[in-house]
Amino acid sequence: MPVPSLSILDLHASIGDKPILKGLTLEIPKGEVHAIMGKNGSGKSTLAKIMAGHPDYTVTSGDVLLDGESILGMEPDVRARLGLFLAFQYPMEIPGVTIANFIRAALQSRLPEGEDIDAIDYYENLYKKMDLLSMSRSFTSRSVNEGFSGGEKKRCEILQMAMLQPSYAVLDETDSGLDIDALKIVSAGVNSLRGPNIGMLVITHYQRLLDYIVPDKVHVMSEGRIILSGEKDLALKLEAEGYDWVEKEYQAA
Amino acid sequence: MTSSTTSAAPSSDILLAPSNVGVLSAPADYSADWPEWFRRGQKTAWETFQAIPQPKRTDEPWRFANLRALDLSDFTLAVPVENEAALIVRSKGFPDVAAKLIFANERLIQREATGLPPGVLLLPLEQAATDHQELFQRNFMSTPVRLGSKKFAALHRARLRTGAFLHVPKGIVIERPIEIWHWVEGEDATIFPHTLIVLEDGASASVIDRFVSANDESSLAIAVNDLTLGSGSKLTYVGVQEWSSKTTAFHLNTTEVAMNGTATALAMNFGGSYIRGESDSHLLGEGSRSVMLSINPADAEREIDQRTFQDHFAPRATSDLLYHNALSDASRTIFAGLIKVEEGAHETDAYQKVRNLILSDEAEANSMPGLEILADNVRCTHGATSGELNEDELFYMLARGIPPNQAAQLIVRGFFGTVLERLENPILEEQLGAILDRKLNLTV
């Protein structure tokens, strides 16, 4: 029995006629945190959307396996219920739907037909997770992401992750739009969820986030491929020296 | 309460005889429950009904409307229901009300009014006409019906047998809502629900009208509500319409607001095959305010036809209309609304917004906003938008594991929830929200 993992195998994908992923391979074993870094336009966010099943993208070849099971033929909601979570770079506003009802509907969808969530347990759990993220309880009755600041939106994403307890989570530019205080809160929230039962893929443009969410492995993405993988100090080197040397080395090889 | 010992078999001649009276046949006599002057008015109304021609497609107030629905010749006058007790049991409404009236087929079958402050009148209309003639005459259908249904309002005036009368004296605040149920029972039966509300200066109340069919039968309801608000008074009026899918219904409203009064009215239309709503707000006093809201989940082949008028007579008044339609299957909605700022109504704030969420290729939404301004320095906006489900919102929900149909229902729930918020009444919002959840089959 191989180690459970989220595996991306030689993945090719395009939007319309334009190829975006050109043979991307990556394995995130459960229990580890991996980071993908790369310049804007390298395809990082596209990778996240493709894994979640966004209808705008077409996978032309390759595979994505969740604990050995291919998820590419599955609808986005099926993938999510199977245990894949995407923290959005730009979370959507849903007017009139409260956070409490939204998360509850998501949890309800994971229960067998005819079984209902216990409201008291649910709120107890929700409040506990909100306290962890320093979120005021008044948030539960606010519409999802409507009128939220950047930091509030990202905290709301991590709250959902904490409530849904996925087996694999992809965090797409979770640090974008955060000031340093918000970054610390969000990172602490993410760190509290780390453990042997979850694998995480942290997508980021800046090394800064990785000071707070320290990864087990760092991968560099360029033009739809992983061109270098290394340990956590690779992030520091990228911060100091930029990406150009990686691309040169990759082309030379 | 009566308990019928008559056989319930539909073949019984005794039961069938009165139900055979067509709603369009000339009234033989008028109910002795009413004073003589009222019965004379009924006779006049019947003549008016006969004199006004049936609406035509070329009549502007009936543009786009399905005129076939206006053929009322198959409908008959409702006879007393077979089992009043059963309907009383089914009238499960809000948990905490100040008073509750239950009407069924033109009869008051239950009245609970123990939670009303002293001085408040909550009576059947015929009793109000008898005991409080002056008050009644001043307020009962005193404003002409202007939005197209004059003929049907005349039929209502000629045929109604009872209704609810609420009078709240000066300065009295009723905290809890008053709930009024209107049941219709019987194939092709017709009822004429009526709710007349008068708030004196500084009074405050909230009233929920519940419109319900006992069975999945064809029926006709011609409902009228007249809302009169004194200075500084505050009324929240909600009509929760859950008629059977075979019902033709008219819901005709007139609202008059005096200085600094605030009327907030919400119509929730869940049932019916043809629903015609007319809402006519008169901003009579300076600083008066009328909030006009509607929530319309239209499905099957339902047609919801709504005509509105925001008529500003006084300066510095506000009217604020927000109608949300979600259309699935082969449903249709029609909205025609006019904002009119009369001469001298300076510094008017008037808003009108209709949003159509189109969930099916076969559905059809017609919106006709209108504006007429005869004063200076006014702020008026109106607009109608139509759109489909937002794909990005949908994907966001799917990415949380919510199945597509449930996600769509949640988005619709949210779309309506933003209207409920405008009631600015968290308790009503929660309780009406629970009705929405039930109607949309949401388990949350």
Side-chain angles (χ1 to χ4, degrees):
Chain A
M1 178 74 189
V3 180
S5 69
L6 176 62
S7 317
I8 305 162
L9 303 171
D10 194 27
L11 194 64
H12 289 75
S14 55
I15 182 162
D17 293 337
K18 193 179 169 228
I20 308 263
L21 300 184
K22 302 165 186 170
L24 188 141
T25 296
L26 190 64
E27 181 165 31
I28 302 123
K30 193 174 269 184
E32 293 188 10
V33 175
H34 288 209
I36 288 189
M37 301 185 71
K39 289 200 257 190
N40 282 335
S42 58
K44 303 188 301 288
S45 286
T46 304
L47 172 65
K49 285 186 196 158
I50 288 169
M51 282 195 281
H54 196 286
D56 285 356
Y57 302 94
T58 314
V59 172
T60 47
S61 68
D63 211 344
V64 178
L65 306 177
L66 200 149
D67 292 340
E69 187 178 2
S70 174
I71 59 170
L72 286 185
M74 295 176 183
E75 293 298 323
D77 58 310
V78 180
R79 298 180 194 201
R81 292 198 297 274
L82 208 62
L84 183 68
F85 181 87
L86 170 62
F88 282 60
Q89 181 178 5
Y90 302 110
M92 292 304 300
E93 298 182 2
I94 307 173
V97 178
T98 64
I99 291 178
N101 281 351
F102 180 58
I103 296 177
R104 194 166 160 170
L107 284 170
Q108 180 74 46
S109 73
R110 286 156 171 80
L111 294 181
E113 185 91 28
E115 208 173 294
D116 282 332
I117 285 174
D118 182 290
I120 294 166
D121 291 350
Y122 168 69
Y123 275 98
E124 202 173 292
N125 190 18
L126 184 65
Y127 289 150
K128 208 166 73 190
K129 302 279 161 62
M130 290 176 81
D131 289 348
L132 204 67
L133 289 159
S134 309
M135 291 176 86
S136 148
R137 292 188 179 179
S138 65
F139 264 82
T140 52
S141 56
R142 285 177 64 181
S143 293
V144 178
N145 294 320
E146 199 180 37
F148 285 20
S149 70
E152 287 168 343
K153 283 184 183 173
K154 296 302 168 76
R155 265 187 265 183
C156 183
E157 292 294 285
I158 304 307
L159 174 67
Q160 292 171 46
M161 177 171 144
M163 290 297 290
L164 299 177
Q165 298 186 300
S167 43
Y168 297 95
V170 179
L171 280 62
D172 187 10
E173 306 266 5
T174 292
D175 51 332
S176 70
L178 296 188
D179 61 30
I180 192 72
D181 292 331
L183 182 68
K184 283 180 182 168
I185 292 168
V186 166
S187 303
V190 172
N191 286 330
S192 73
L193 300 175
R194 287 177 81 153
N197 295 321
I198 186 168
M200 292 190 201
L201 181 60
V202 178
I203 294 172
T204 182
H205 187 61
Y206 296 107
Q207 183 269 336
R208 187 180 70 152
L209 175 68
L210 305 182
D211 287 342
Y212 298 97
I213 304 173
V214 180
D216 297 301
K217 292 267 186 325
V218 174
H219 309 275
V220 180
M221 187 165 173
S222 176
E223 297 192 23
R225 297 182 190 91
I226 299 296
I227 57 170
L228 182 68
S229 296
E231 301 301 310
K232 61 188 172 207
D233 37 344
L234 175 58
L236 295 169
K237 191 172 177 197
L238 290 167
E239 179 76 359
E241 300 175 23
Y243 290 97
D244 289 349
W245 64 272
V246 192
E247 281 173 17
K248 279 190 193 123
E249 277 185 15
Y250 180 73
Q251 277 154 17
Chain B
M1 299 308 104
T2 62
S3 66
S4 172
T5 49
T6 319
S7 158
S11 58
S12 157
D13 287 341
I14 301 158
L15 276 175
L16 272 182
S19 72
N20 279 338
V21 179
V23 76
L24 301 183
S25 64
D29 54 7
Y30 293 98
S31 167
D33 295 340
W34 292 89
E36 169 60 23
W37 57 264
F38 185 85
R39 284 183 269 162
R40 277 201 305 276
Q42 287 192 297
K43 194 163 181 292
T44 311
W46 177 256
E47 288 157 9
T48 305
F49 169 68
Q50 286 193 303
I52 300 174
Q54 194 73 0
K56 296 186 297 293
R57 184 155 288 280
T58 47
D59 297 342
E60 184 59 30
W62 296 94
R63 213 173 145 202
F64 296 116
N66 171 19
L67 299 180
R68 272 172 307 177
L70 305 181
D71 176 1
L72 310 182
S73 52
D74 286 343
F75 295 107
T76 53
L77 296 183
V79 295
V81 298
E82 288 178 16
N83 189 344
E84 291 179 353
L87 293 185
I88 292 168
V89 169
R90 285 173 66 188
S91 302
K92 271 197 214 74
F94 290 180
D96 193 18
V97 294
K100 185 165 168 177
L101 299 183
I102 305 174
F103 294 93
N105 283 12
E106 298 290 275
R107 282 153 61 103
L108 179 64
I109 61 172
Q110 173 103 323
R111 180 177 183 276
E112 296 165 15
T114 49
L116 291 176
V120 173
L121 299 175
L122 180 64
L123 304 169
L125 274 179
E126 63 276 20
Q127 190 186 337
T130 307
D131 298 347
H132 307 274
Q133 182 180 341
E134 193 273 332
L135 190 60
F136 180 92
Q137 283 180 318
R138 193 157 20 98
N139 294 290
F140 176 81
M141 297 185 85
S142 56
T143 314
V145 171
R146 306 190 288 178
L147 299 178
S149 285
K150 195 171 181 191
K151 182 177 177 71
F152 305 105
L155 181 59
H156 172 99
R157 174 73 175 84
R159 289 288 197 191
L160 101 161
R161 302 177 76 85
T162 187
F165 176 82
L166 172 67
H167 177 257
V168 186
K170 199 169 170 178
I172 290 187
V173 173
I174 309 174
E175 299 280 356
R176 292 176 291 163
I178 293 168
E179 197 171 49
I180 305 169
W181 290 74
H182 307 270
W183 288 91
V184 63
E185 182 184 289
E187 190 68 25
D188 294 330
T190 305
I191 61 168
F192 302 93
H194 196 110
T195 300
L196 172 54
I197 300 171
V198 181
L199 300 193
E200 300 294 350
D201 297 352
S204 172
S206 49
V207 176
I208 319 294
D209 260 336
R210 308 286 303 251
F211 301 101
V212 216
S213 302
N215 305 306
D216 186 24
E217 294 164 322
S218 164
S219 49
L220 170 65
I222 302 178
V224 169
N225 67 78
D226 293 323
L227 317 177
T228 304
L229 285 85
S231 295
S233 68
K234 202 165 173 238
L235 174 68
T236 301
Y237 172 80
V238 182
V240 182
Q241 182 273 101
E242 298 179 77
W243 299 125
S244 81
S245 62
K246 299 172 191 164
T247 298
T248 298
F250 298 79
H251 290 266
L252 312 177
N253 153 268
T254 308
T255 300
E256 293 184 316
V257 195
M259 192 195 295
N260 295 327
T262 298
T264 305
L266 164 68
M268 300 172 87
N269 285 304
F270 294 110
S273 67
Y274 173 83
I275 300 297
R276 168 84 178 194
E278 297 183 8
S279 278
D280 187 355
S281 270
H282 302 243
L283 286 305
L284 299 179
E286 188 167 343
S288 58
R289 186 174 162 84
S290 179
V291 181
M292 303 158 78
L293 308 170
S294 192
I295 287 174
N296 301 303
D299 62 2
E301 293 184 5
R302 179 172 309 129
E303 176 167 319
I304 302 176
D305 176 0
Q306 294 174 300
R307 316 278 164 155
T308 66
F309 199 175
Q310 297 157 258
D311 202 353
H312 285 255
F313 294 92
R316 285 171 285 282
T318 303
S319 64
D320 193 354
L321 179 147
L322 181 67
Y323 277 31
H324 278 192
N325 304 319
L327 297 93
S328 41
D329 306 327
S331 60
R332 296 182 84 216
T333 59
I334 301 163
F335 172 85
L338 178 64
I339 295 173
K340 186 174 181 190
V341 184
E342 308 282 354
E343 277 180 50
H346 305 301
E347 296 177 56
T348 283
D349 277 341
Y351 309 101
Q352 184 188 88
K353 184 85 191 170
V354 180
R355 291 196 183 93
N356 301 306
L357 180 57
I358 314 278
L359 303 167
S360 153
D361 292 341
E362 290 170 79
E364 178 192 317
N366 304 280
S367 307
M368 296 172 281
L371 200 54
E372 191 181 334
I373 299 173
L374 307 173
D376 304 321
N377 195 14
V378 302
R379 189 160 49 179
C380 297
T381 64
H382 68 164
T385 58
S386 287
E388 296 170 8
L389 283 179
N390 182 314
E391 290 296 328
D392 293 325
E393 280 178 38
L394 210 51
F395 178 68
Y396 185 63
M397 296 183 127
L398 298 183
R400 297 297 174 253
I402 302 170
N405 55 351
Q406 192 76 4
Q409 290 293 73
L410 257 187
I411 292 175
V412 171
R413 171 67 175 82
F415 177 66
F416 290 141
T418 55
V419 178
L420 282 185
E421 284 167 17
R422 300 287 279 275
L423 290 174
E424 296 181 10
N425 181 329
I427 293 170
L428 280 186
E429 200 183 315
E430 188 188 321
Q431 286 166 342
L432 296 168
I435 296 176
L436 257 183
D437 290 340
R438 170 168 59 81
K439 285 290 176 181
L440 296 174
N441 289 319
L442 284 169
T443 45
V444 294

